[in-house]
Amino acid sequence: MGHIQITPSILNADFARLGAEVGRIGSADWVHVDVMDNHFVPNLTFGPTMVEALARSTDVPLDAHLMIEDADDNALAYVEAGCGSVTFHVEAAKAPVRLAREIRAHGARAAMALKPATPIDPYEDLLAELDMVLVMTVEPGFGGQQFLDLCLPKIRRARELMDKHGVETWLQVDGGVSLDTIGRCAEAGADVFVAGSAVYSADDPDRMVAELRARAEAARG
Ligand code: DX5
Ligand code: ZN
């Protein structure tokens, strides 16, 4: 299991001043950028041009979470925009192995996301192709939703499969992660934690990053 990493999502930040908002989370390991196309999810955010501008505005690496229908054709644009990690949804990818290899070949970390109803077991043999698996703990599309405890067994299962195969793949959770829920995720085996509303509704977002990190580290024991 990798070290604990905290990855604030800017989905709940002020979109009119994103550069400054990213400046409020200097101790974060990554900035999580939620790309939504109004097809894969019923919400629309931004595309590669905006992400490229954001990448230029911060030294914190960008972690793109693509909630888009045509991941196979569009993921590389986010590598080119400067993202250090690019996550596609397996429900959207026509050729996940090819796509993961392309992302890696272009120099970014490749990650695959699973919606709450998508099991991890069918993808056991893909783990070695992936730098990270994202287990969604809400239905993707919006920030501020309630954490789904029903996803915890899948986090445990993903960790078991990673251990079994001896891979270095990180295990990320996204959705409803807060001081209340991060401990459960860490105990279950997650090591990378996305938090949107928890961080950006805090008076001091960077202090919340530190508190989330401490809570996850304590839960891991
Ligand atoms: C939801 C996004 C999440 C979202 C998390 O579809 O993928 O990254 O921003 O927000 P919170 O932490 O508020 O659930
Ligand atoms: Zn996300």
Side-chain angles (χ1 to χ4, degrees), residues 9 11-12 32 34 36 65 67 136 138-145 174-177 194-198:
S9 160
L11 187 61
N12 275 63
H32 184 84
D34 287 304
M36 303 184 180
H65 175 193
M67 286 160 275
M136 291 297 303
V138 297
E139 290 291 355
F142 303 94
Q145 301 181 79
D174 181 11
V177 174
V194 177
S197 50

Side-chain angles (χ1 to χ4, degrees), residues 163-178:
D163 289 348
K164 172 181 161 195
H165 288 270
V167 292
E168 301 277 295
T169 316
W170 296 347
L171 180 51
Q172 185 179 52
V173 287
D174 181 11
V177 174
S178 68

